[in-house]
């Protein structure tokens, strides 16, 4: 199964791209290091929010604005800010039944995000947010830390 092809087919169903453009998008995106949805956003073909709503449906995860998430700062402090920014995620909360909620802008990166949790005694759940929101959130934490030093 070609995940990029399947995502593009889902984008067609969501009516944000045209089916006949799929081979062109696949070929052009292959020449970049970007995920298929980021490639389409950077090229101005689709809006990031439209892509995330469709991806949320595709991966069967919720889509949210990071500002409405109740982010546990103690969880965030357990990770390097560079690691979170590079892998496009922010840990949000741990439920009583040991489910860690992670905000991410890239579900195709879930394996890298999950790597530190392989041995962890809990499950992971994801919520999609925009990459800009992730970067802004992490940058704001770093700015607060630098200001207090």
């Amino acid at each position: 199964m070609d995940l990029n092809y399947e995502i593009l087919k889902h984008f067609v169903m969501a009516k944000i791209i045209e089916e006949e453009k799929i081979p062109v998008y696949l070929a052009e995106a292959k020449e970049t290091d970007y995920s298929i949805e980021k490639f389409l956003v950077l090229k101005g073909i689709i809006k990031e929010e439209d892509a995330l709503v469709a991806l949320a449906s595709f991966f069967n995860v919720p889509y949210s604005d990071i500002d409405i998430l109740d982010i546990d700062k103690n969880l965030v402090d357990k990770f390097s800010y560079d690691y979170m920014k590079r892998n496009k995620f922010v840990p949000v909360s741990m439920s009583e039944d040991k489910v860690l909620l992670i905000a991410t802008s890239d579900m195709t990166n879930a394996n890298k995000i999950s790597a530190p949790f392989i041995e962890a005694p809990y499950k992971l759940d994801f919520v999609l947010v925009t990459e800009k929101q992730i970067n802004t959130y992490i940058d704001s934490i770093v700015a607060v830390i630098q200001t207090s030093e």
Side-chain angles (χ1 to χ4, degrees):
M1 175 177 91
D2 180 353
L3 184 59
N4 286 337
Y5 177 78
E6 295 301 322
I7 288 171
L8 290 177
K9 289 293 280 184
H10 195 77
F11 284 4
V12 169
M13 287 179 18
K15 300 183 186 328
I16 57 176
I17 66 165
E18 298 170 0
E19 187 165 17
E20 56 272 4
K21 299 278 189 171
I22 289 177
V24 174
Y25 296 154
L26 285 172
E28 289 179 2
K30 191 177 261 189
E31 297 177 20
T32 73
D33 289 331
Y34 298 118
S35 64
I36 192 69
E37 66 276 5
K38 183 160 185 163
F39 167 78
L40 294 173
V41 168
L42 290 174
K43 293 283 280 185
I45 297 164
I46 60 175
K47 295 178 184 172
E48 184 178 22
E49 291 79 13
D50 292 339
L52 288 182
V53 169
L55 286 170
S57 169
F58 181 80
F59 287 107
N60 196 29
V61 297
Y63 165 72
S64 181
D65 187 299
I66 202 165
D67 293 333
I68 67 169
L69 298 174
D70 188 16
I71 298 174
D72 182 341
K73 307 288 189 279
N74 293 323
L75 281 173
V76 173
D77 289 341
K78 294 182 181 191
F79 297 90
S80 131
Y81 300 124
D82 182 55
Y83 183 78
M84 289 188 292
K85 202 165 189 177
R86 187 175 55 250
N87 290 293
K88 304 173 189 76
F89 82 96
V90 172
V92 176
S93 62
M94 178 73 75
S95 70
E96 288 183 17
D97 55 343
K98 300 285 186 201
V99 177
L100 177 62
L101 180 62
I102 295 177
T104 183
S105 63
D106 186 1
M107 282 302 295
T108 62
N109 201 24
N111 286 341
K112 285 184 184 175
I113 294 170
S114 301
F117 308 104
I118 296 296
E119 300 296 322
Y122 43 82
K123 297 179 184 177
L124 301 179
D125 268 347
F126 295 93
V127 58
L128 279 170
V129 300
T130 68
E131 183 174 353
K132 181 179 179 182
Q133 289 176 350
I134 296 232
N135 290 337
T136 301
Y137 181 83
I138 294 170
D139 290 345
S140 71
I141 294 170
V142 171
V144 167
I145 291 169
Q146 290 172 345
T147 304
S148 66
E149 290 179 345

